[in-house]
Amino acid sequence: EIVLTQSPGTLSLSPGERATLSCRASRSVSSNFLVWYQQKPGQAPRLLIHGSSNRARGIPDRFSGSGSGTDFTLTISRLEPEDFAVYYCQQYGSSPRTFGQGTKVEIK
Amino acid sequence: EVQLVESGGGVVQPGGSLRLSCAASGFVFDDYAMSWVRQAPGKGLEWVSSINWNGHNTDYVDSVKGRFTISRDNAKNSLYLQMNSLRAEDTAFYYCAKDTGSYFSDWFDPWGQGTLVTVSS
């Protein structure tokens, strides 16, 4: 199975700052089949990005995804108070579908 | 609006059984594959099982094979997870999630609010 490693584990930033989250795969993710989710405490995960770089419906354009092969990035251009949460990547290029362990974006 | 509502969680002893249900609305249920994803308290996400649109194809994570059974009733717009021989490591929130197509191959969107399963003596 493809193992996804997210870094850093925790990102401490202030509102208005830029957040850069990394997701690295143990082998190439075919066709860039990678998504990003956001999860807030007590809530289910919410889809942000699919196909590595396509924003889901209703997701603000401050969220962007990029990358290919084994290295993927989620960027939040200017953090809003509601963006402080845990972010997970997930690959669907091969079975089983696997998740990264998450990156927590916390208020500095 | 798509809605997924899980039920059936609770406290069960090791070796026991539990059946989770997920009631779906707001979309044509039998057009889509469905999945269960779990999250141990304070931990990350783990895909558990998926079923295609007509229930003829299923898949499981290795750790639950032979113990869990996924099924669906398209007439009732419902998804199920029968969990047998439960272990402490099965303790988690279990989320019902809609796949993007009729076969399980893509991402999960949306997710239900989850139901907590606690395996403890």
Side-chain angles (χ1 to χ4, degrees):
Chain A
E1 72 177 45
I2 293 180
V3 176
L4 299 178
T5 302
Q6 293 186 240
S7 61
T10 302
L11 201 50
S12 298
L13 294 168
S14 301
E17 288 193 297
R18 181 184 188 91
T20 303
L21 287 65
S22 173
C23 176
R24 179 161 292 177
S26 59
R27 66 174 191 270
S28 184
V29 176
S30 62
S31 303
N32 299 331
F33 286 165
L34 187 119
V35 298
W36 291 92
Y37 301 95
Q38 176 194 67
Q39 187 179 33
K40 297 179 181 179
Q43 296 186 17
R46 177 177 73 141
L47 179 70
L48 296 177
I49 301 287
H50 60 88
S52 175
S53 61
N54 303 294
R55 270 188 305 276
R57 189 176 303 175
I59 300 303
D61 60 7
R62 64 180 180 273
F63 291 91
S64 63
S66 63
S68 64
T70 60
D71 289 294
F72 298 88
T73 300
L74 175 69
T75 302
I76 311 171
S77 60
R78 287 180 56 87
L79 283 164
E80 297 287 342
E82 62 268 27
D83 299 337
F84 292 92
V86 180
Y87 294 83
Y88 294 94
C89 56
Q90 176 232 319
Q91 65 81 24
Y92 54 101
S94 68
S95 180
R97 292 176 280 182
T98 52
F99 293 89
Q101 83 281 13
T103 289
K104 181 179 182 180
V105 179
E106 65 175 23
I107 299 177
K108 186 174 182 180
Chain B
E1 180 193 4
V2 174
Q3 282 203 319
L4 301 170
V5 180
E6 302 94 336
S7 59
V11 181
V12 61
Q13 292 188 337
S17 298
L18 214 53
R19 188 194 196 208
L20 306 184
S21 299
C22 172
S25 61
F27 65 103
V28 181
F29 184 68
D30 54 10
D31 274 355
Y32 294 93
M34 296 292 295
S35 296
W36 290 97
V37 180
R38 68 183 177 185
Q39 184 173 36
K43 302 298 183 182
L45 301 165
E46 180 184 40
W47 166 77
V48 175
S49 181
S50 297
I51 187 168
N52 77 324
W53 69 277
N54 62 6
H56 290 177
N57 294 93
T58 60
D59 197 12
Y60 302 89
V61 67
D62 284 348
S63 59
V64 310
K65 282 180 181 175
R67 299 189 299 123
F68 290 11
T69 302
I70 190 171
S71 62
R72 64 190 295 161
D73 184 337
N74 287 346
K76 295 183 177 180
N77 287 353
S78 292
L79 176 72
Y80 306 100
L81 187 66
Q82 177 67 44
M83 303 185 296
N84 299 330
S85 303
L86 282 161
R87 306 167 180 167
E89 54 265 34
D90 296 319
T91 294
F93 289 92
Y94 283 75
Y95 295 99
C96 165
K98 174 180 164 289
D99 277 67
T100 59
S102 59
Y103 195 76
F104 41 86
S105 58
D106 295 327
W107 59 90
F108 310 104
D109 181 48
W111 303 49
Q113 86 289 350
T115 187
L116 179 60
V117 172
T118 302
V119 184
S120 174
S121 54

